[in-house]
Amino acid sequence: LKPDFKEAHFNLAYVLVELKKPEDAIKEFEIVLKLDPSYADAYSQIGKMYMQLKDYDKASQWYDKALAK
């Protein structure tokens, strides 16, 4: 996995979502955002992961960030 290839990190995050590993998926989505802070879908996916973790405050914050992009 190339460290600066955001699409690979995004795809890996989706695999982790399917494997029911939201914490690991969040880490990968955050790498995507470090590489491209304008990647709105990564923000919303992190919000979705926090919803699964029942951390609704964090989920709301990430959804707000997605809407701002």
Side-chain angles (χ1 to χ4, degrees):
L1 189 63
K2 293 172 73 175
D4 61 344
F5 187 42
K6 71 179 179 195
E7 289 83 3
H9 287 285
F10 193 84
N11 291 337
L12 175 56
Y14 258 104
V15 170
L16 293 166
V17 168
E18 293 299 315
L19 293 173
K20 309 286 190 236
K21 295 184 175 192
E23 294 93 348
D24 294 330
I26 288 169
K27 290 176 188 173
E28 289 299 320
F29 285 127
E30 287 176 336
I31 291 170
V32 171
L33 292 174
K34 285 179 186 170
L35 296 170
D36 182 359
S38 68
Y39 208 117
D41 199 21
Y43 289 98
S44 63
Q45 290 302 319
I46 291 173
K48 183 178 177 182
M49 295 300 93
Y50 280 117
M51 289 292 288
Q52 288 182 6
L53 294 169
K54 299 187 183 342
D55 189 336
Y56 303 115
D57 289 334
K58 280 190 179 177
S60 176
Q61 292 170 7
W62 283 98
Y63 284 133
D64 287 343
K65 290 178 184 181
L67 291 172
K69 296 297 169 187

Short mmCIF file of all heavy atoms in Angstrom, two decimals:
data_model
loop_
_atom_site.label_atom_id
_atom_site.label_comp_id
_atom_site.label_asym_id
_atom_site.label_seq_id
_atom_site.Cartn_x
_atom_site.Cartn_y
_atom_site.Cartn_z
N LEU A 1 0.85 -1.18 0.00
CA LEU A 1 0.00 0.00 0.00
C LEU A 1 0.89 1.23 0.00
O LEU A 1 1.68 1.42 0.91
CB LEU A 1 -0.89 -0.03 1.24
CG LEU A 1 -2.01 0.96 1.36
CD1 LEU A 1 -3.04 0.77 0.25
CD2 LEU A 1 -2.70 0.77 2.70
N LYS A 2 0.74 2.04 -1.02
CA LYS A 2 1.52 3.27 -1.09
C LYS A 2 0.98 4.26 -0.06
O LYS A 2 -0.22 4.52 -0.02
CB LYS A 2 1.45 3.87 -2.49
CG LYS A 2 2.13 3.02 -3.55
CD LYS A 2 1.86 3.55 -4.93
CE LYS A 2 2.65 4.82 -5.16
NZ LYS A 2 2.52 5.30 -6.55
N PRO A 3 1.85 4.81 0.77
CA PRO A 3 1.38 5.70 1.84
C PRO A 3 0.62 6.93 1.36
O PRO A 3 -0.23 7.45 2.06
CB PRO A 3 2.67 6.11 2.55
CG PRO A 3 3.72 5.19 2.09
CD PRO A 3 3.27 4.60 0.79
N ASP A 4 0.90 7.40 0.15
CA ASP A 4 0.27 8.62 -0.33
C ASP A 4 -0.83 8.37 -1.38
O ASP A 4 -1.27 9.29 -2.05
CB ASP A 4 1.32 9.57 -0.90
CG ASP A 4 2.07 8.96 -2.09
OD1 ASP A 4 2.00 7.74 -2.28
OD2 ASP A 4 2.73 9.73 -2.81
N PHE A 5 -1.31 7.14 -1.48
CA PHE A 5 -2.34 6.78 -2.46
C PHE A 5 -3.69 6.75 -1.75
O PHE A 5 -4.10 5.75 -1.19
CB PHE A 5 -2.00 5.44 -3.09
CG PHE A 5 -2.89 5.03 -4.23
CD1 PHE A 5 -3.30 5.94 -5.19
CD2 PHE A 5 -3.32 3.72 -4.36
CE1 PHE A 5 -4.11 5.56 -6.25
CE2 PHE A 5 -4.12 3.33 -5.41
CZ PHE A 5 -4.52 4.25 -6.35
N LYS A 6 -4.38 7.91 -1.76
CA LYS A 6 -5.60 8.05 -0.97
C LYS A 6 -6.70 7.06 -1.37
O LYS A 6 -7.43 6.58 -0.51
CB LYS A 6 -6.11 9.48 -1.02
CG LYS A 6 -6.69 9.88 -2.35
CD LYS A 6 -7.20 11.30 -2.35
CE LYS A 6 -7.73 11.63 -3.72
NZ LYS A 6 -7.92 13.03 -3.93
N GLU A 7 -6.80 6.75 -2.65
CA GLU A 7 -7.84 5.82 -3.08
C GLU A 7 -7.65 4.44 -2.47
O GLU A 7 -8.61 3.76 -2.13
CB GLU A 7 -7.89 5.74 -4.61
CG GLU A 7 -8.42 6.99 -5.28
CD GLU A 7 -7.38 8.09 -5.46
OE1 GLU A 7 -6.20 7.90 -5.11
OE2 GLU A 7 -7.76 9.17 -5.95
N ALA A 8 -6.40 4.01 -2.34
CA ALA A 8 -6.13 2.71 -1.73
C ALA A 8 -6.54 2.71 -0.26
O ALA A 8 -7.14 1.75 0.23
CB ALA A 8 -4.65 2.35 -1.86
N HIS A 9 -6.25 3.81 0.44
CA HIS A 9 -6.65 3.91 1.85
C HIS A 9 -8.17 3.95 1.97
O HIS A 9 -8.75 3.33 2.87
CB HIS A 9 -6.02 5.14 2.50
CG HIS A 9 -4.56 4.99 2.75
ND1 HIS A 9 -4.06 4.21 3.77
CD2 HIS A 9 -3.50 5.51 2.11
CE1 HIS A 9 -2.74 4.28 3.74
NE2 HIS A 9 -2.37 5.04 2.73
N PHE A 10 -8.82 4.65 1.05
CA PHE A 10 -10.28 4.72 1.07
C PHE A 10 -10.87 3.33 0.83
O PHE A 10 -11.80 2.92 1.54
CB PHE A 10 -10.77 5.71 0.01
CG PHE A 10 -12.21 6.08 0.17
CD1 PHE A 10 -12.58 7.08 1.05
CD2 PHE A 10 -13.18 5.43 -0.56
CE1 PHE A 10 -13.92 7.43 1.20
CE2 PHE A 10 -14.52 5.77 -0.41
CZ PHE A 10 -14.89 6.77 0.46
N ASN A 11 -10.34 2.62 -0.13
CA ASN A 11 -10.85 1.27 -0.42
C ASN A 11 -10.59 0.31 0.74
O ASN A 11 -11.45 -0.51 1.08
CB ASN A 11 -10.24 0.73 -1.70
CG ASN A 11 -10.75 1.47 -2.92
OD1 ASN A 11 -11.82 2.07 -2.90
ND2 ASN A 11 -9.97 1.44 -3.99
N LEU A 12 -9.42 0.43 1.37
CA LEU A 12 -9.13 -0.40 2.54
C LEU A 12 -10.11 -0.09 3.66
O LEU A 12 -10.60 -1.00 4.34
CB LEU A 12 -7.69 -0.18 3.00
CG LEU A 12 -7.27 -0.89 4.29
CD1 LEU A 12 -7.50 -2.40 4.20
CD2 LEU A 12 -5.82 -0.58 4.62
N ALA A 13 -10.42 1.18 3.84
CA ALA A 13 -11.39 1.56 4.87
C ALA A 13 -12.74 0.89 4.60
O ALA A 13 -13.38 0.40 5.53
CB ALA A 13 -11.54 3.07 4.91
N TYR A 14 -13.16 0.86 3.33
CA TYR A 14 -14.42 0.20 2.99
C TYR A 14 -14.38 -1.29 3.31
O TYR A 14 -15.37 -1.86 3.77
CB TYR A 14 -14.78 0.42 1.52
CG TYR A 14 -15.84 1.48 1.35
CD1 TYR A 14 -15.50 2.75 0.90
CD2 TYR A 14 -17.16 1.23 1.66
CE1 TYR A 14 -16.46 3.73 0.74
CE2 TYR A 14 -18.13 2.20 1.51
CZ TYR A 14 -17.77 3.45 1.06
OH TYR A 14 -18.72 4.41 0.91
N VAL A 15 -13.27 -1.93 3.06
CA VAL A 15 -13.13 -3.35 3.42
C VAL A 15 -13.28 -3.52 4.94
O VAL A 15 -13.98 -4.42 5.41
CB VAL A 15 -11.77 -3.91 2.93
CG1 VAL A 15 -11.51 -5.29 3.52
CG2 VAL A 15 -11.73 -3.95 1.42
N LEU A 16 -12.65 -2.62 5.69
CA LEU A 16 -12.75 -2.68 7.14
C LEU A 16 -14.17 -2.44 7.63
O LEU A 16 -14.62 -3.05 8.61
CB LEU A 16 -11.78 -1.69 7.77
CG LEU A 16 -10.30 -2.04 7.55
CD1 LEU A 16 -9.41 -0.86 7.90
CD2 LEU A 16 -9.90 -3.27 8.35
N VAL A 17 -14.91 -1.59 6.92
CA VAL A 17 -16.33 -1.38 7.23
C VAL A 17 -17.07 -2.70 7.07
O VAL A 17 -17.84 -3.11 7.95
CB VAL A 17 -16.94 -0.29 6.33
CG1 VAL A 17 -18.46 -0.27 6.45
CG2 VAL A 17 -16.36 1.07 6.65
N GLU A 18 -16.84 -3.36 5.95
CA GLU A 18 -17.52 -4.64 5.68
C GLU A 18 -17.13 -5.72 6.70
O GLU A 18 -17.92 -6.61 6.99
CB GLU A 18 -17.23 -5.11 4.26
CG GLU A 18 -17.83 -4.25 3.19
CD GLU A 18 -19.35 -4.19 3.26
OE1 GLU A 18 -19.98 -5.26 3.43
OE2 GLU A 18 -19.91 -3.09 3.16
N LEU A 19 -15.92 -5.63 7.22
CA LEU A 19 -15.46 -6.59 8.22
C LEU A 19 -15.91 -6.22 9.63
O LEU A 19 -15.52 -6.86 10.60
CB LEU A 19 -13.93 -6.70 8.19
CG LEU A 19 -13.34 -7.31 6.93
CD1 LEU A 19 -11.82 -7.20 6.94
CD2 LEU A 19 -13.77 -8.77 6.79
N LYS A 20 -16.74 -5.18 9.72
CA LYS A 20 -17.27 -4.72 11.02
C LYS A 20 -16.16 -4.27 11.96
O LYS A 20 -16.14 -4.59 13.14
CB LYS A 20 -18.13 -5.80 11.69
CG LYS A 20 -19.20 -6.40 10.81
CD LYS A 20 -20.35 -5.44 10.62
CE LYS A 20 -21.52 -6.16 9.95
NZ LYS A 20 -21.96 -5.55 8.76
N LYS A 21 -15.21 -3.51 11.42
CA LYS A 21 -14.10 -2.97 12.20
C LYS A 21 -14.11 -1.43 12.07
O LYS A 21 -13.25 -0.84 11.43
CB LYS A 21 -12.78 -3.54 11.70
CG LYS A 21 -12.65 -5.03 11.92
CD LYS A 21 -11.30 -5.53 11.51
CE LYS A 21 -11.17 -7.01 11.86
NZ LYS A 21 -9.79 -7.46 11.74
N PRO A 22 -15.12 -0.80 12.70
CA PRO A 22 -15.26 0.65 12.51
C PRO A 22 -14.08 1.47 13.02
O PRO A 22 -13.72 2.48 12.40
CB PRO A 22 -16.54 0.99 13.27
CG PRO A 22 -16.76 -0.13 14.22
CD PRO A 22 -16.15 -1.34 13.57
N GLU A 23 -13.46 1.06 14.12
CA GLU A 23 -12.31 1.83 14.63
C GLU A 23 -11.16 1.83 13.63
O GLU A 23 -10.52 2.86 13.40
CB GLU A 23 -11.82 1.27 15.97
CG GLU A 23 -12.82 1.44 17.11
CD GLU A 23 -13.71 0.22 17.30
OE1 GLU A 23 -13.73 -0.68 16.41
OE2 GLU A 23 -14.41 0.17 18.31
N ASP A 24 -10.90 0.67 13.03
CA ASP A 24 -9.83 0.57 12.04
C ASP A 24 -10.19 1.34 10.76
O ASP A 24 -9.33 1.97 10.14
CB ASP A 24 -9.53 -0.89 11.71
CG ASP A 24 -8.95 -1.64 12.90
OD1 ASP A 24 -8.27 -1.01 13.74
OD2 ASP A 24 -9.18 -2.86 12.99
N ALA A 25 -11.47 1.29 10.40
CA ALA A 25 -11.92 2.03 9.22
C ALA A 25 -11.73 3.54 9.43
O ALA A 25 -11.27 4.24 8.53
CB ALA A 25 -13.38 1.71 8.92
N ILE A 26 -12.06 4.01 10.63
CA ILE A 26 -11.89 5.43 10.94
C ILE A 26 -10.44 5.83 10.74
O ILE A 26 -10.15 6.88 10.14
CB ILE A 26 -12.36 5.75 12.37
CG1 ILE A 26 -13.88 5.67 12.46
CG2 ILE A 26 -11.86 7.12 12.82
CD1 ILE A 26 -14.44 5.70 13.87
N LYS A 27 -9.51 5.02 11.19
CA LYS A 27 -8.09 5.34 11.04
C LYS A 27 -7.71 5.49 9.57
O LYS A 27 -6.97 6.40 9.20
CB LYS A 27 -7.23 4.26 11.70
CG LYS A 27 -7.31 4.27 13.21
CD LYS A 27 -6.51 3.12 13.79
CE LYS A 27 -6.76 3.01 15.29
NZ LYS A 27 -6.13 1.82 15.87
N GLU A 28 -8.22 4.60 8.73
CA GLU A 28 -7.91 4.68 7.30
C GLU A 28 -8.57 5.90 6.66
O GLU A 28 -7.95 6.59 5.84
CB GLU A 28 -8.33 3.40 6.57
CG GLU A 28 -7.46 2.21 6.90
CD GLU A 28 -6.00 2.40 6.51
OE1 GLU A 28 -5.71 2.97 5.43
OE2 GLU A 28 -5.14 1.98 7.30
N PHE A 29 -9.82 6.19 7.03
CA PHE A 29 -10.48 7.38 6.49
C PHE A 29 -9.73 8.64 6.93
O PHE A 29 -9.63 9.60 6.16
CB PHE A 29 -11.94 7.45 6.94
CG PHE A 29 -12.85 6.48 6.23
CD1 PHE A 29 -13.66 5.62 6.95
CD2 PHE A 29 -12.92 6.44 4.85
CE1 PHE A 29 -14.53 4.74 6.32
CE2 PHE A 29 -13.78 5.56 4.19
CZ PHE A 29 -14.58 4.71 4.93
N GLU A 30 -9.20 8.64 8.15
CA GLU A 30 -8.43 9.80 8.61
C GLU A 30 -7.14 9.97 7.81
O GLU A 30 -6.71 11.10 7.55
CB GLU A 30 -8.14 9.69 10.10
CG GLU A 30 -9.38 9.95 10.95
CD GLU A 30 -9.17 9.74 12.43
OE1 GLU A 30 -8.24 8.99 12.83
OE2 GLU A 30 -9.95 10.32 13.20
N ILE A 31 -6.53 8.87 7.40
CA ILE A 31 -5.34 8.96 6.53
C ILE A 31 -5.73 9.61 5.20
O ILE A 31 -5.01 10.48 4.69
CB ILE A 31 -4.70 7.57 6.31
CG1 ILE A 31 -4.08 7.07 7.61
CG2 ILE A 31 -3.66 7.62 5.18
CD1 ILE A 31 -3.63 5.62 7.57
N VAL A 32 -6.88 9.21 4.68
CA VAL A 32 -7.37 9.82 3.43
C VAL A 32 -7.48 11.34 3.60
O VAL A 32 -7.05 12.10 2.73
CB VAL A 32 -8.73 9.21 3.02
CG1 VAL A 32 -9.34 9.99 1.86
CG2 VAL A 32 -8.59 7.75 2.68
N LEU A 33 -8.02 11.76 4.73
CA LEU A 33 -8.22 13.19 4.95
C LEU A 33 -6.91 13.93 5.16
O LEU A 33 -6.81 15.11 4.82
CB LEU A 33 -9.16 13.42 6.13
CG LEU A 33 -10.60 12.97 5.86
CD1 LEU A 33 -11.43 13.09 7.11
CD2 LEU A 33 -11.20 13.78 4.71
N LYS A 34 -5.91 13.27 5.69
CA LYS A 34 -4.59 13.90 5.79
C LYS A 34 -4.01 14.11 4.39
O LYS A 34 -3.35 15.11 4.14
CB LYS A 34 -3.65 13.04 6.64
CG LYS A 34 -3.95 13.12 8.11
CD LYS A 34 -3.01 12.24 8.91
CE LYS A 34 -3.44 12.24 10.37
NZ LYS A 34 -2.73 11.25 11.17
N LEU A 35 -4.28 13.18 3.50
CA LEU A 35 -3.78 13.29 2.13
C LEU A 35 -4.60 14.26 1.30
O LEU A 35 -4.07 14.92 0.40
CB LEU A 35 -3.78 11.90 1.47
CG LEU A 35 -2.84 10.88 2.11
CD1 LEU A 35 -3.09 9.49 1.53
CD2 LEU A 35 -1.39 11.29 1.89
N ASP A 36 -5.90 14.34 1.59
CA ASP A 36 -6.79 15.22 0.82
C ASP A 36 -7.92 15.72 1.73
O ASP A 36 -8.97 15.08 1.84
CB ASP A 36 -7.38 14.46 -0.37
CG ASP A 36 -8.26 15.34 -1.24
OD1 ASP A 36 -8.46 16.53 -0.91
OD2 ASP A 36 -8.78 14.82 -2.25
N PRO A 37 -7.70 16.84 2.39
CA PRO A 37 -8.71 17.37 3.32
C PRO A 37 -10.05 17.73 2.68
O PRO A 37 -11.03 17.94 3.39
CB PRO A 37 -8.04 18.63 3.89
CG PRO A 37 -6.59 18.45 3.65
CD PRO A 37 -6.48 17.63 2.40
N SER A 38 -10.13 17.76 1.37
CA SER A 38 -11.39 18.10 0.71
C SER A 38 -12.21 16.86 0.32
O SER A 38 -13.26 16.99 -0.29
CB SER A 38 -11.11 18.93 -0.54
OG SER A 38 -10.45 18.15 -1.52
N TYR A 39 -11.78 15.69 0.70
CA TYR A 39 -12.43 14.43 0.34
C TYR A 39 -13.69 14.23 1.20
O TYR A 39 -13.67 13.57 2.23
CB TYR A 39 -11.45 13.28 0.54
CG TYR A 39 -11.66 12.07 -0.35
CD1 TYR A 39 -10.69 11.68 -1.26
CD2 TYR A 39 -12.79 11.30 -0.26
CE1 TYR A 39 -10.85 10.55 -2.06
CE2 TYR A 39 -12.97 10.18 -1.04
CZ TYR A 39 -11.99 9.81 -1.94
OH TYR A 39 -12.15 8.70 -2.73
N ALA A 40 -14.80 14.85 0.78
CA ALA A 40 -16.02 14.91 1.59
C ALA A 40 -16.56 13.53 1.97
O ALA A 40 -17.09 13.36 3.08
CB ALA A 40 -17.09 15.71 0.85
N ASP A 41 -16.45 12.57 1.08
CA ASP A 41 -17.00 11.24 1.37
C ASP A 41 -16.31 10.60 2.58
O ASP A 41 -16.93 9.88 3.34
CB ASP A 41 -16.89 10.34 0.15
CG ASP A 41 -17.82 9.13 0.22
OD1 ASP A 41 -18.81 9.18 0.99
OD2 ASP A 41 -17.57 8.15 -0.48
N ALA A 42 -15.03 10.89 2.77
CA ALA A 42 -14.32 10.34 3.93
C ALA A 42 -14.90 10.90 5.23
O ALA A 42 -15.05 10.18 6.22
CB ALA A 42 -12.83 10.62 3.84
N TYR A 43 -15.26 12.19 5.22
CA TYR A 43 -15.87 12.78 6.42
C TYR A 43 -17.19 12.09 6.75
O TYR A 43 -17.45 11.75 7.90
CB TYR A 43 -16.14 14.27 6.21
CG TYR A 43 -14.91 15.14 6.16
CD1 TYR A 43 -14.35 15.52 4.95
CD2 TYR A 43 -14.31 15.59 7.33
CE1 TYR A 43 -13.23 16.34 4.90
CE2 TYR A 43 -13.18 16.40 7.29
CZ TYR A 43 -12.65 16.77 6.08
OH TYR A 43 -11.54 17.57 6.02
N SER A 44 -18.03 11.90 5.75
CA SER A 44 -19.33 11.27 6.00
C SER A 44 -19.17 9.81 6.42
O SER A 44 -19.93 9.31 7.25
CB SER A 44 -20.25 11.41 4.79
OG SER A 44 -19.72 10.75 3.67
N GLN A 45 -18.18 9.12 5.86
CA GLN A 45 -17.96 7.73 6.27
C GLN A 45 -17.49 7.64 7.72
O GLN A 45 -17.89 6.72 8.44
CB GLN A 45 -16.95 7.06 5.33
CG GLN A 45 -17.49 6.83 3.94
CD GLN A 45 -18.74 5.97 3.93
OE1 GLN A 45 -18.87 4.99 4.66
NE2 GLN A 45 -19.70 6.36 3.11
N ILE A 46 -16.68 8.60 8.15
CA ILE A 46 -16.28 8.60 9.56
C ILE A 46 -17.52 8.85 10.43
O ILE A 46 -17.70 8.20 11.47
CB ILE A 46 -15.18 9.66 9.82
CG1 ILE A 46 -13.88 9.23 9.14
CG2 ILE A 46 -14.96 9.84 11.33
CD1 ILE A 46 -12.77 10.27 9.19
N GLY A 47 -18.38 9.75 10.00
CA GLY A 47 -19.64 9.97 10.73
C GLY A 47 -20.44 8.69 10.84
O GLY A 47 -20.98 8.36 11.90
N LYS A 48 -20.51 7.96 9.75
CA LYS A 48 -21.25 6.69 9.74
C LYS A 48 -20.63 5.69 10.72
O LYS A 48 -21.35 4.98 11.43
CB LYS A 48 -21.23 6.12 8.32
CG LYS A 48 -22.01 4.85 8.15
CD LYS A 48 -21.97 4.41 6.69
CE LYS A 48 -22.67 3.10 6.47
NZ LYS A 48 -22.58 2.68 5.06
N MET A 49 -19.30 5.65 10.78
CA MET A 49 -18.63 4.73 11.71
C MET A 49 -18.93 5.10 13.16
O MET A 49 -19.18 4.22 14.00
CB MET A 49 -17.11 4.73 11.48
CG MET A 49 -16.66 4.20 10.13
SD MET A 49 -17.16 2.50 9.81
CE MET A 49 -18.72 2.74 8.95
N TYR A 50 -18.95 6.40 13.45
CA TYR A 50 -19.27 6.81 14.82
C TYR A 50 -20.74 6.52 15.15
O TYR A 50 -21.06 6.23 16.31
CB TYR A 50 -18.92 8.28 15.06
CG TYR A 50 -17.46 8.46 15.34
CD1 TYR A 50 -16.64 9.20 14.50
CD2 TYR A 50 -16.87 7.88 16.47
CE1 TYR A 50 -15.28 9.36 14.76
CE2 TYR A 50 -15.51 8.02 16.73
CZ TYR A 50 -14.73 8.76 15.88
OH TYR A 50 -13.39 8.90 16.15
N MET A 51 -21.62 6.55 14.16
CA MET A 51 -23.01 6.14 14.39
C MET A 51 -23.04 4.66 14.79
O MET A 51 -23.75 4.29 15.72
CB MET A 51 -23.87 6.36 13.14
CG MET A 51 -24.14 7.81 12.83
SD MET A 51 -25.21 8.63 14.01
CE MET A 51 -26.77 7.88 13.62
N GLN A 52 -22.28 3.84 14.09
CA GLN A 52 -22.24 2.42 14.43
C GLN A 52 -21.70 2.20 15.83
O GLN A 52 -22.12 1.27 16.52
CB GLN A 52 -21.38 1.65 13.42
CG GLN A 52 -22.02 1.50 12.08
CD GLN A 52 -21.17 0.68 11.12
OE1 GLN A 52 -20.14 0.12 11.48
NE2 GLN A 52 -21.60 0.62 9.88
N LEU A 53 -20.77 3.06 16.24
CA LEU A 53 -20.20 2.96 17.58
C LEU A 53 -21.08 3.63 18.63
O LEU A 53 -20.73 3.65 19.81
CB LEU A 53 -18.80 3.58 17.60
CG LEU A 53 -17.75 2.86 16.76
CD1 LEU A 53 -16.48 3.70 16.64
CD2 LEU A 53 -17.43 1.49 17.37
N LYS A 54 -22.21 4.19 18.20
CA LYS A 54 -23.17 4.87 19.05
C LYS A 54 -22.59 6.11 19.75
O LYS A 54 -23.00 6.49 20.83
CB LYS A 54 -23.78 3.91 20.08
CG LYS A 54 -24.53 2.76 19.43
CD LYS A 54 -25.27 1.93 20.42
CE LYS A 54 -25.97 0.73 19.86
NZ LYS A 54 -26.26 0.60 18.50
N ASP A 55 -21.62 6.73 19.09
CA ASP A 55 -21.06 8.00 19.56
C ASP A 55 -21.68 9.09 18.69
O ASP A 55 -21.09 9.57 17.72
CB ASP A 55 -19.54 8.00 19.46
CG ASP A 55 -18.90 9.19 20.14
OD1 ASP A 55 -19.59 10.23 20.28
OD2 ASP A 55 -17.72 9.10 20.52
N TYR A 56 -22.89 9.47 19.06
CA TYR A 56 -23.69 10.34 18.21
C TYR A 56 -23.15 11.77 18.13
O TYR A 56 -23.32 12.43 17.11
CB TYR A 56 -25.15 10.31 18.67
CG TYR A 56 -25.69 8.90 18.67
CD1 TYR A 56 -26.07 8.27 19.85
CD2 TYR A 56 -25.79 8.18 17.48
CE1 TYR A 56 -26.55 6.97 19.85
CE2 TYR A 56 -26.27 6.87 17.47
CZ TYR A 56 -26.64 6.27 18.65
OH TYR A 56 -27.10 4.98 18.64
N ASP A 57 -22.51 12.24 19.19
CA ASP A 57 -21.93 13.58 19.15
C ASP A 57 -20.81 13.66 18.11
O ASP A 57 -20.77 14.58 17.30
CB ASP A 57 -21.40 13.99 20.52
CG ASP A 57 -22.51 14.27 21.52
OD1 ASP A 57 -23.62 14.64 21.09
OD2 ASP A 57 -22.26 14.12 22.73
N LYS A 58 -19.92 12.67 18.14
CA LYS A 58 -18.84 12.66 17.15
C LYS A 58 -19.39 12.46 15.75
O LYS A 58 -18.91 13.07 14.79
CB LYS A 58 -17.81 11.58 17.48
CG LYS A 58 -16.84 11.97 18.56
CD LYS A 58 -15.71 10.97 18.66
CE LYS A 58 -14.72 11.39 19.73
NZ LYS A 58 -13.66 10.40 19.89
N ALA A 59 -20.38 11.59 15.62
CA ALA A 59 -20.98 11.37 14.31
C ALA A 59 -21.52 12.68 13.74
O ALA A 59 -21.27 13.01 12.58
CB ALA A 59 -22.09 10.33 14.41
N SER A 60 -22.22 13.42 14.57
CA SER A 60 -22.79 14.69 14.13
C SER A 60 -21.70 15.67 13.70
O SER A 60 -21.83 16.35 12.67
CB SER A 60 -23.62 15.30 15.27
OG SER A 60 -24.11 16.55 14.90
N GLN A 61 -20.62 15.71 14.45
CA GLN A 61 -19.51 16.60 14.10
C GLN A 61 -18.93 16.25 12.73
O GLN A 61 -18.64 17.14 11.92
CB GLN A 61 -18.42 16.53 15.16
CG GLN A 61 -18.82 17.11 16.50
CD GLN A 61 -17.80 16.81 17.59
OE1 GLN A 61 -16.72 16.28 17.34
NE2 GLN A 61 -18.16 17.13 18.82
N TRP A 62 -18.75 14.94 12.48
CA TRP A 62 -18.17 14.52 11.20
C TRP A 62 -19.15 14.75 10.04
O TRP A 62 -18.74 15.12 8.95
CB TRP A 62 -17.71 13.07 11.28
CG TRP A 62 -16.42 12.96 12.02
CD1 TRP A 62 -16.24 12.62 13.34
CD2 TRP A 62 -15.11 13.25 11.52
NE1 TRP A 62 -14.91 12.67 13.66
CE2 TRP A 62 -14.20 13.06 12.56
CE3 TRP A 62 -14.63 13.65 10.28
CZ2 TRP A 62 -12.84 13.23 12.41
CZ3 TRP A 62 -13.26 13.83 10.12
CH2 TRP A 62 -12.38 13.63 11.18
N TYR A 63 -20.45 14.54 10.28
CA TYR A 63 -21.42 14.82 9.22
C TYR A 63 -21.43 16.31 8.90
O TYR A 63 -21.54 16.70 7.74
CB TYR A 63 -22.81 14.35 9.62
CG TYR A 63 -23.01 12.86 9.52
CD1 TYR A 63 -23.60 12.14 10.55
CD2 TYR A 63 -22.64 12.15 8.38
CE1 TYR A 63 -23.81 10.78 10.45
CE2 TYR A 63 -22.82 10.78 8.28
CZ TYR A 63 -23.42 10.10 9.32
OH TYR A 63 -23.62 8.76 9.23
N ASP A 64 -21.31 17.16 9.94
CA ASP A 64 -21.25 18.60 9.70
C ASP A 64 -20.05 18.96 8.85
O ASP A 64 -20.13 19.80 7.94
CB ASP A 64 -21.21 19.37 11.02
CG ASP A 64 -22.54 19.38 11.75
OD1 ASP A 64 -23.57 19.08 11.12
OD2 ASP A 64 -22.54 19.69 12.97
N LYS A 65 -18.91 18.33 9.12
CA LYS A 65 -17.70 18.58 8.33
C LYS A 65 -17.91 18.16 6.87
O LYS A 65 -17.46 18.84 5.95
CB LYS A 65 -16.50 17.84 8.92
CG LYS A 65 -16.04 18.41 10.23
CD LYS A 65 -14.89 17.59 10.78
CE LYS A 65 -14.45 18.08 12.16
NZ LYS A 65 -13.33 17.31 12.70
N ALA A 66 -18.60 17.04 6.68
CA ALA A 66 -18.87 16.57 5.32
C ALA A 66 -19.73 17.57 4.56
O ALA A 66 -19.47 17.86 3.39
CB ALA A 66 -19.55 15.20 5.36
N LEU A 67 -20.73 18.11 5.23
CA LEU A 67 -21.62 19.07 4.58
C LEU A 67 -20.91 20.38 4.25
O LEU A 67 -21.28 21.07 3.30
CB LEU A 67 -22.83 19.35 5.47
CG LEU A 67 -23.80 18.19 5.62
CD1 LEU A 67 -24.84 18.51 6.68
CD2 LEU A 67 -24.45 17.85 4.30
N ALA A 68 -19.89 20.70 5.00
CA ALA A 68 -19.13 21.93 4.77
C ALA A 68 -18.18 21.82 3.58
O ALA A 68 -17.68 22.83 3.09
CB ALA A 68 -18.33 22.31 6.02
N LYS A 69 -17.93 20.61 3.11
CA LYS A 69 -16.99 20.42 1.99
C LYS A 69 -17.68 20.56 0.69
O LYS A 69 -18.32 20.39 0.00
CB LYS A 69 -16.29 19.07 2.09
CG LYS A 69 -15.42 18.95 3.31
CD LYS A 69 -14.32 19.95 3.26
CE LYS A 69 -13.60 20.06 4.57
NZ LYS A 69 -12.66 21.10 4.63
#
